[in-house]
Amino acid sequence: MDIDDVSSTNKRGYLNKDFQLFHLKDKLNQEFELHYHDFKKIIILISGKVSYLIEGKSYKLKPWDILLVNSYEVHKPIIDSSEPYERYVLWINSDFLTLNNKDGSDLLNCFSISSKEKLNLLRPNDTWINVFENLLMQIETNIKSKEDFSTILGNSLFIQFMVYINRLFVNKENSAPLKDIEFDKTIEEILSYINSNLNENLSIEILANKFFMSKYYLMHKFKKETGYTLHSYITQKRLIMAADLIKKGISISSVCEECGFCDYSTFVRSFKKLYGLSPKNFYKEYIK
C-alpha cells in the first residue's frame, strides 16, 4: 500500500488564543474529510441530522448533544443536508485551562475521562441545556464586544462553561443511550492496541494473526467501520507521535525508531507530506 494515502486524513485549524468560539449554520451538500487537531475541541449540536465519526465510533446526535474531541482524535461529521446544520464549536487551548486549575481541580478532567472511557458524547437534560445555552450566548455576545475588560470577562465565562462541562461528565445520568452510539467491539480493541503500540511492528499480518482474522477481512472491516485504511491510520498516528517527540527536542533518528518507522527516508518523506516540512525544519519552526 502506498505511503501517500496518509494524506487522506489532514490536520485542520490553528489555535493561537486561549479559546475560540464559532457559531455556524449552513445547509450545504458537502462531505467532510477525516481530520484532526492538535488542540481539544467541543461541538454542541443545535439542529440538523448529523452523525459524528470519532476514532471508529459513530455518534447519532440530537439537539444540544455535546461532543468532546481530544487532541489528535481523527473525526468527521456525516451530514444529512435536507436540514440546516447549526452548531457551536469551541477550540480549546489546554495550557490556558491548566493555568486556571485551582485547589486541586482539573478543567481538562472531562477530556481525560473521555479518552480513558472512549466515550465522546454527552446528552444534557433540559436544566443543563438552559445553563449551556445561556453561557454560550454570553460568550458569543462578549466576543463581539469592544468594551473594557471584555477579554477577562470572556475568559471567566469560558472557564465557567468548562466547570459545568466537567460536572456534567461526572454525572453519568446525562450520558446518551447506547443505541445512539455505534461501533464494532473488535475494531475498538484493534484501535486501542494500535495506539498503545505505535513503536512496535504493526504489519497487517501481525494484526490479523493477533485478532484471529484474515488480513483481507481485517483491511475491509477496518475501512468499513472507521472510514480510513489500516495503513493510513497507523502512519497518521505515528507521525502525530513523531511531531510531539520532535517538539520535546528528541533527535530525529531516535524519533524515527521510537515511532515504529523501519526506514528513515520513508519517515522523512511521510512527515514532510503531512506537515509540509522536513522533521528538521519542523523543529526549527517550532522553537522560533
Side-chain angles (χ1 to χ4, degrees):
M1 190 176 297
D2 198 314
I3 195 70
D4 288 351
D5 71 354
V6 71
S7 63
S8 63
T9 309
N10 297 314
K11 177 183 175 182
R12 283 272 191 88
Y14 177 76
L15 180 63
N16 57 2
K17 300 179 180 180
D18 296 331
F19 72 95
Q20 283 188 262
L21 174 70
F22 306 91
H23 186 182
L24 308 170
K25 184 177 182 179
D26 45 57
K27 191 177 180 181
L28 303 176
N29 186 14
Q30 63 177 314
E31 183 173 340
F32 288 80
E33 65 184 5
L34 290 157
H35 61 281
Y36 70 94
H37 310 273
D38 54 11
F39 49 83
K40 300 184 188 301
K41 181 166 80 168
I42 292 178
I43 303 151
I44 303 102
L45 177 70
I46 307 303
S47 66
K49 293 182 179 179
V50 183
S51 293
Y52 229 96
L53 188 66
I54 305 176
E55 292 287 338
K57 284 189 175 180
S58 177
Y59 298 96
K60 186 177 180 180
L61 302 184
K62 292 185 176 182
W64 287 98
D65 276 358
I66 300 171
L67 284 171
L68 275 67
V69 184
N70 272 284
S71 308
Y72 307 123
E73 287 187 333
V74 182
H75 59 281
K76 75 169 183 176
I78 301 170
I79 303 162
D80 183 340
S81 60
S82 64
E83 295 185 10
Y85 174 32
E86 184 177 1
R87 68 276 190 199
Y88 283 103
V89 180
L90 277 155
W91 291 1
I92 299 168
N93 184 328
S94 297
D95 291 340
F96 170 70
L97 290 184
T98 300
L99 287 172
N100 282 279
N101 287 336
K102 306 293 182 183
D103 301 322
S105 64
D106 181 3
L107 291 168
L108 292 169
N109 187 45
C110 54
F111 287 99
S112 299
I113 295 172
S114 172
S115 178
K116 181 180 179 180
E117 297 185 356
K118 298 180 176 61
L119 181 65
N120 301 80
L121 177 62
L122 287 172
R123 180 162 292 165
N125 58 31
D126 290 342
T127 300
W128 278 110
I129 288 173
N130 290 333
V131 170
F132 289 123
E133 184 174 17
N134 181 54
L135 261 177
L136 287 166
M137 289 176 63
Q138 289 186 66
I139 294 171
E140 190 172 14
T141 300
N142 184 76
I143 288 172
K144 298 173 183 177
S145 171
K146 295 183 180 179
E147 295 183 29
D148 293 342
F149 307 108
S150 59
T151 298
I152 295 173
L153 177 58
N155 286 348
S156 66
L157 288 168
F158 172 59
I159 291 171
Q160 186 178 352
F161 175 85
M162 289 306 305
V163 167
Y164 290 146
I165 287 287
N166 276 278
R167 287 180 179 175
L168 179 61
F169 221 111
V170 171
N171 186 351
K172 301 301 182 182
E173 293 179 5
N174 292 291
S175 298
L178 290 177
K179 65 181 179 63
D180 290 333
I181 306 173
E182 297 180 356
F183 66 98
D184 183 280
K185 183 65 177 176
T186 301
I187 294 299
E188 182 182 45
E189 292 173 358
I190 292 171
L191 288 168
S192 179
Y193 181 81
I194 288 171
N195 283 289
S196 299
N197 295 277
L198 289 171
N199 61 330
E200 301 293 334
N201 186 341
L202 295 174
S203 69
I204 292 172
E205 290 78 9
I206 286 177
L207 289 173
N209 288 333
K210 180 172 182 61
F211 291 94
F212 308 104
M213 60 182 76
S214 75
K215 61 181 183 179
Y216 302 105
Y217 180 69
L218 170 59
M219 288 187 290
H220 171 76
K221 187 178 183 68
F222 194 91
K223 173 72 173 178
K224 177 176 179 291
E225 296 294 334
T226 67
Y228 28 82
T229 68
L230 182 60
H231 175 80
S232 64
Y233 181 84
I234 293 170
T235 303
Q236 184 84 45
K237 290 294 185 169
R238 282 175 166 165
L239 291 172
I240 289 169
M241 178 182 175
D244 275 348
L245 293 176
I246 289 170
K247 290 176 182 178
K248 294 175 181 177
I250 298 175
S251 70
I252 307 300
S253 57
S254 296
V255 168
C256 175
E257 184 177 347
E258 287 187 40
C259 294
F261 288 94
C262 298
D263 180 75
Y264 184 80
S265 61
T266 299
F267 164 62
V268 173
R269 186 171 70 251
S270 302
F271 192 96
K272 188 173 183 179
K273 185 171 184 64
L274 181 61
Y275 292 103
L277 296 167
S278 68
K280 184 176 181 179
N281 288 335
F282 178 87
Y283 176 70
K284 289 179 179 178
E285 285 291 316
Y286 179 75
I287 62 173
K288 278 184 179 180

